[in-house]
Amino acid sequence: MGFKSLVPVAAVAAAFAMAPEAAAVSAPRLLINQDFPDPDVVKTASGYFAFATGTKTTRIALATAAAADGPWRVAGDALGAVPAWAKPDGGFWAPDVTQLADGTFVLYFAAAQTAGGEMCLGAATARKPEGPYTPAGGRPLVCEPGDHGDIDPQTFVDADGSRYLLYKSDGAATGPPSAIWAQKLQADGRTFAGPRTELLRADLTAEKSVVEAPSVVKTGSRYLLFYSADTFESTGYHTCYAAAPTLGGAFVKADGRFLSTELLGGKVDAPGGADVVDGHIFFHGWLGGGRTARGLYSLPITFPGDVPQLG
């Protein structure tokens, strides 16, 4: 992306290498007690909207609330039609919604393409945050053959109005591990402006070759990249973060986990898919001790000294 670092990488490493594992000072709040995985939360003038991976009855699940803490109401399906390039029964994963300067809302999602079946990223548009969203274009937005699948889109708008799309490449057992990428978008939200940049990859043993679900927060002097690691069906699935002086990196992973089953005192099983909005970190976790449904949770979050802190 051509970013120039304003702070030496060594300084960032020193600031975050000693970051302690986070400890929640309050119990996580269960907002949606039914399947609502991979949440994306959007604050608008008319309230809060949340989007999630599709269920048996929805392509992209939708929920609404007047306030961040709820009460939340599951309100149906946000995606109005199946894209021409996607399998109707292949699933629609990990959505993200952003509003463009002209007022248009864009929904990004991952779906299995008809040819080959690998996961690719698509986009759909609407005039209202709740949709219904109409698929845009006859081809995927991102579908890199060497990635072995692209999922988990997430947008970030910088202070100067520049908009970026982050996502995960799946990786493969015999090739590069999974990684998180960023690519600048043009004003239409569907055309890229330049090549993509790798932000980080799964290079730690505890990550089990998985990094995914990126979400970026800009603090006073740093960019914080939250991401999930380990296998999502495992109790060891957790949320971490990395920091950099610019969105182009280099991102330095904090020492220790930020959200995990253990750190949350067992109150949430496998917390992941985090999204930070309006002083809250939203995330999912398995419900009822099983592996059939993931509910939506939240905790307050602040950033004293550019370091995330729960509660």
Side-chain angles (χ1 to χ4, degrees):
M1 284 183 272
F3 294 103
K4 182 178 180 181
S5 175
L6 302 180
V7 179
V9 171
V12 179
F16 285 87
M18 298 304 293
E21 293 191 348
V25 298
S26 58
R29 182 187 293 266
L30 177 58
L31 303 175
I32 298 179
N33 191 18
Q34 66 184 70
D35 201 24
F36 203 82
D38 308 312
D40 176 68
V41 177
V42 179
K43 181 184 180 182
T44 74
S46 56
Y48 291 79
F49 297 83
F51 305 85
T53 289
T55 64
K56 293 180 180 179
T57 59
T58 61
R59 301 182 188 97
I60 297 295
L62 168 69
T64 62
D69 288 331
W72 283 85
R73 181 178 67 89
V74 177
D77 197 336
L79 184 58
V82 175
W85 54 268
K87 289 184 176 182
D89 57 353
F92 297 86
W93 299 0
D96 174 81
V97 168
T98 189
Q99 186 174 21
L100 304 180
D102 67 0
T104 301
F105 289 89
V106 182
L107 166 70
Y108 303 91
F109 56 88
Q113 64 171 340
T114 303
E118 288 189 338
M119 300 300 291
C120 304
L121 304 184
T125 61
R127 296 304 302 178
K128 300 183 296 182
E130 65 269 31
Y133 287 82
T134 301
R139 301 173 58 185
L141 187 64
V142 178
C143 202
E144 293 286 343
D147 287 352
H148 302 281
D150 296 295
I151 63 172
D152 293 357
Q154 180 75 208
T155 48
F156 170 72
V157 181
D158 213 339
D160 64 358
S162 298
R163 191 180 305 271
Y164 300 87
L165 182 67
L166 286 76
Y167 58 91
K168 170 205 177 179
S169 59
D170 276 341
T174 58
S178 65
I180 292 174
W181 304 82
Q183 197 163 3
K184 190 174 183 179
L185 290 162
Q186 295 185 16
D188 65 0
R190 303 188 304 278
T191 305
F192 290 115
R196 67 181 186 173
T197 297
E198 181 179 323
L199 302 186
L200 55 79
R201 62 174 52 202
D203 54 9
L204 300 177
T205 301
E207 293 168 346
K208 305 287 183 63
S209 300
V210 175
V211 291
E212 59 189 17
S215 179
V216 169
V217 174
K218 175 67 168 64
T219 63
S221 63
R222 298 186 177 99
Y223 293 79
L224 303 181
L225 170 59
F226 292 88
Y227 64 96
S228 299
D230 202 335
T231 306
F232 78 96
E233 293 181 317
S234 167
T235 294
Y237 194 64
H238 59 277
T239 297
C240 296
Y241 73 94
T246 73
L247 188 57
F251 278 89
V252 177
K253 295 177 180 179
D255 183 18
R257 304 175 180 188
F258 188 68
L259 296 174
S260 70
T261 304
E262 181 180 9
L263 289 172
L264 295 179
K267 294 181 176 63
V268 180
D269 183 6
D275 191 25
V276 178
V277 178
D278 197 26
H280 295 73
I281 183 166
F282 298 89
F283 53 95
H284 66 228
W286 292 106
L287 296 169
R291 290 293 183 269
T292 59
R294 286 169 287 175
L296 176 65
Y297 294 84
S298 77
L299 274 167
I301 188 171
T302 57
F303 299 90
D306 294 332
V307 177
Q309 178 175 307
L310 297 175

